[in-house]
Amino acid sequence: MRNETIDALGATGSKTIAAGAGLTSFGWITSNEFLGLVGAIVAVAGLAITWYYKREANRRHAREHELRMARLRRGMDTPDTDLAEQGVDE
């Protein structure tokens, strides 16, 4: 075979591989498995975000509790602060 023929067949083979890979990717994206994977990723991301903010809220409530207890120990039980009622989210 001549070099031009081999180069042409090589280029055609590369284009065929690229087209096959593209069609395979498109088929996978439109399948239920892809949508299930995306749903699982979104669920895990939502779980991580919820866990982070709940942890921060628990830390804030613990700090507010410490401040309230310190006020009570000093005998300052009058509600003259801007702290909300214990356990109420703002």
Side-chain angles (χ1 to χ4, degrees):
M1 279 194 196
R2 296 188 333 204
N3 287 339
E4 295 85 21
T5 305
I6 293 173
D7 290 341
L9 289 174
T12 303
S14 295
K15 291 176 186 175
T16 304
I17 290 170
L23 287 173
T24 300
S25 299
F26 177 74
W28 183 70
I29 288 172
T30 59
S31 70
N32 287 335
E33 288 84 9
F34 175 74
L35 296 177
L37 181 62
V38 170
I41 290 170
V42 168
V44 169
L47 177 67
I49 291 169
T50 301
W51 172 79
Y52 173 78
Y53 284 107
K54 281 295 189 179
R55 184 182 62 152
E56 293 300 316
N58 287 340
R59 286 181 180 175
R60 186 181 71 240
H61 286 300
R63 181 68 182 139
E64 287 177 2
H65 176 72
E66 291 172 10
L67 292 173
R68 288 177 203 279
M69 293 306 293
R71 283 183 57 83
L72 287 173
R73 286 184 191 108
R74 289 191 306 253
M76 304 172 73
D77 58 350
T78 58
D80 60 350
T81 67
D82 62 346
L83 294 175
E85 183 179 326
Q86 182 75 21
V88 175
D89 287 333
E90 297 172 356

